[in-house]
Amino acid sequence: MSVEHILLGVLSWMPNSGYGIKKEVEISGRELGWGRLSYGSIYPKLKKLEEEGFIRAVTAEREGRMTKIYELTAKGWRELADWLRCPPAPPEIRDELVMKISFWETGLPEDRETLIEHLELRRREAEEMMRHLEEWSRNGYSAIGELGGLAMDYWLDHLRLSIEWYGRVIRYLEGPPAPPRQDPHGLYEKARRRRQDALGPEESDLPKHPRR
Amino acid sequence: MSVEHILLGVLSWMPNSGYGIKKEVEISGRELGWGRLSYGSIYPKLKKLEEEGFIRAVTAEREGRMTKIYELTAKGWRELADWLRCPPAPPEIRDELVMKISFWETGLPEDRETLIEHLELRRREAEEMMRHLEEWSRNGYSAIGELGGLAMDYWLDHLRLSIEWYGRVIRYLEGPPAPPRQDPHGLYEKARRRRQDALGPEESDLPKHPRR
DNA sequence: CTTAACATGTAAGATGTTACATGATTCG
DNA sequence: CGAATCATGTAACATCTTACATGTTAAG
């Protein structure tokens, strides 16, 4: 319920254009802390915020280009402060890789190589992301004040932890193919049987080529 | 692009009802790894998946109650496997608290107490969440196999890190009110001035009572 | 001269949430 | 007997993404 507030917050750092806001919040194509912000949502929202008097457009010349720079009005600063005072919503994490890992042993137990590939790709992406972040925070931009720096640390620490965990899972997968299994409720065995009953013994054993 | 696949994955653990799927995936009202799953999206999707032949309803009696239990068909198992083989989308994290912290010094610099309250509330929630998770993983349910256990570790490690970080920020905020500031680009000073120009000197200094 | 980056926007469509509606059963 | 939990569903609404459309300027 508040892409609007993210926009007001970014504009509190400095007056900016729609294009500039996206650049400000994204690091290598991803947004930290706010899923994604696409132009398709930024521009209409900025228009709406202007109509409602939270921001004001100052069509300006920036390095030779015509740019529509927005800045906060008194009403906008007040709205931002009110929003900041409200208790924040709980965090939402959407991580397809971790979900796939949770489903792997019941859904595709015979194919460990593909999962290792997923993990290695993700690990490379995360390392790339960390490099960008470290460089960015050295520039001092967008991390305004000490709190901004602490927020940066938050993302860096979590990235570091994720990278470490990807390695841990890869090491597990590269180990012996059938380790002794803790299965107090027999769920894994039952799942394996249901799958075999549905697919037949041949298909449930033969890994196929990945698509996409 | 795949609440559907989450449903197929959870059904691969065991045949289940719409109600049961939600219970399975949520821990104290939050879903790990997949934002939220509301009944308003679960039931229509299950219906659609059944119409398309990925799952099959087995209306059954579970502890005296009439329950619509769904299970995967051969087509459903195949679709799950195909999805698992696809490279996963990058993770999305939506964390309003961390965003608010990034905006705090430009948006509401004079009010540190409210931010400390936000952080303490969040820390309590995270500790509560950790307790639930630890208990849950001791039961052995829903963490099928070693990989399920590793996924559990992933959430626990991240929760632990977050709790540690909340403490760090609280300690910083409880420290001296105006620490020496690194501001190589003068962004903080400029933001402060823009805010004061827009709001006037009185309003920009007086914290108000929190709403909600 | 052509590619990448800068820059703004719209419209259709997918997606998901909230609130509502309903009813059974269990437990204190 | 009332509250909580189990259980299923719908409809209106809010939200966001994707793809498209368009044009400029800088750099190689």
Side-chain angles (χ1 to χ4, degrees), chain A residues 104-105 109-121 123-124 164-179, chain B residues 146-147 150:
Chain A
W104 205 269
E105 286 176 290
E110 67 279 358
D111 181 2
R112 296 182 142 210
E113 291 74 30
T114 305
L115 182 51
I116 292 173
E117 278 166 31
H118 292 352
L119 282 155
E120 281 173 343
L121 176 59
R123 182 163 61 175
R124 280 195 298 277
E164 200 272 311
W165 184 80
Y166 299 143
R168 215 151 76 215
V169 180
I170 290 170
R171 279 195 301 281
Y172 164 75
L173 287 168
E174 283 172 342
Chain B
E146 311 287 326
L147 285 174
L150 286 169

Side-chain angles (χ1 to χ4, degrees), chain A residues 59-71:
Chain A
T59 300
E61 198 95 357
R62 195 152 72 169
E63 287 148 34
R65 271 196 195 75
M66 203 277 290
T67 312
K68 213 166 166 182
I69 301 286
Y70 290 97
E71 59 179 22

Side-chain angles (χ1 to χ4, degrees), chain A residues 8 54 72-85, chain B residues 107-108 195 198-200 203 208 211:
Chain A
L8 294 180
F54 295 110
L72 297 181
T73 61
K75 192 178 171 189
W77 283 105
R78 267 183 231 118
E79 178 58 35
L80 174 62
D82 284 349
W83 174 68
L84 289 174
R85 270 189 287 258
Chain B
L108 198 55
R195 184 162 179 260
L199 287 176
E203 194 185 348
K208 285 181 224 157
R211 58 176 201 193

Side-chain angles (χ1 to χ4, degrees), chain A residues 113-147:
Chain A
E113 291 74 30
T114 305
L115 182 51
I116 292 173
E117 278 166 31
H118 292 352
L119 282 155
E120 281 173 343
L121 176 59
R122 174 68 70 86
R123 182 163 61 175
R124 280 195 298 277
E125 286 168 359
E127 282 163 353
E128 168 90 12
M129 189 96 178
M130 254 188 79
R131 272 195 297 279
H132 278 273
L133 246 187
E134 276 165 348
E135 201 184 316
W136 206 49
S137 71
R138 262 197 296 280
N139 288 341
Y141 274 113
S142 305
I144 295 187
E146 310 287 327
L147 286 174

Side-chain angles (χ1 to χ4, degrees), chain A residues 20 38 56 61 74 126 155:
Chain A
S38 59
R56 172 198 309 131
E61 198 95 357
W155 301 120

Side-chain angles (χ1 to χ4, degrees), chain A:
Chain A
M1 213 198 169
S2 55
V3 178
E4 282 95 336
H5 291 117
I6 300 298
L7 296 176
L8 294 180
V10 177
L11 289 177
S12 83
W13 290 340
M14 60 168 96
N16 217 332
S17 65
Y19 190 81
I21 288 171
K22 186 164 162 65
K23 287 279 118 25
E24 198 71 32
V25 176
E26 99 187 336
I27 290 165
S28 59
R30 299 239 287 290
E31 278 82 37
L32 288 172
W34 201 259
R36 9 196 82 226
L37 272 190
S38 59
Y39 292 123
S41 62
I42 291 174
Y43 286 113
K45 288 291 183 212
L46 285 173
K47 201 181 188 182
K48 199 188 135 212
L49 286 170
E50 192 188 13
E51 282 164 10
E52 291 169 347
F54 295 110
I55 60 179
R56 172 198 309 131
V58 189
T59 300
E61 198 95 357
R62 195 152 72 169
E63 287 148 34
R65 271 196 195 75
M66 203 277 290
T67 312
K68 213 166 166 182
I69 301 286
Y70 290 97
E71 59 179 22
L72 297 181
T73 61
K75 192 178 171 189
W77 283 105
R78 267 183 231 118
E79 178 58 35
L80 174 62
D82 284 349
W83 174 68
L84 289 174
R85 270 189 287 258
C86 292
E92 268 174 49
I93 302 179
R94 194 170 283 210
D95 195 324
E96 231 183 61
L97 175 57
V98 182
M99 295 313 281
K100 286 188 177 183
I101 288 172
S102 309
F103 302 142
W104 205 269
E105 286 176 290
T106 46
L108 197 55
E110 67 279 358
D111 181 2
R112 296 182 142 210
E113 291 74 30
T114 305
L115 182 51
I116 292 173
E117 278 166 31
H118 292 352
L119 282 155
E120 281 173 343
L121 176 59
R122 174 68 70 86
R123 182 163 61 175
R124 280 195 298 277
E125 286 168 359
E127 282 163 353
E128 168 90 12
M129 189 96 178
M130 254 188 79
R131 272 195 297 279
H132 278 273
L133 246 187
E134 276 165 348
E135 201 184 316
W136 206 49
S137 71
R138 262 197 296 280
N139 288 341
Y141 274 113
S142 305
I144 295 187
E146 310 287 327
L147 286 174
L150 286 169
M152 210 60 102
D153 291 346
Y154 181 86
W155 301 120
L156 283 168
D157 289 350
H158 280 271
L159 273 173
R160 218 170 278 126
L161 186 58
S162 297
I163 290 167
E164 200 272 311
W165 184 80
Y166 299 143
R168 215 151 76 215
V169 180
I170 290 170
R171 279 195 301 281
Y172 164 75
L173 287 168
E174 283 172 342
R181 181 176 301 281
Q182 301 279 324
D183 191 14
H185 303 277
L187 290 175
Y188 174 74
E189 252 315 298
K190 285 179 195 161
R192 205 186 56 75
R193 274 199 212 117
R194 283 203 318 280
R195 183 161 180 260
Q196 201 167 76
D197 288 350
L199 286 175
E202 329 76 44
E203 195 183 347
S204 67
D205 265 355
L206 292 172
K208 285 182 222 155
H209 291 293
R211 59 175 200 190
R212 236 221 293 192

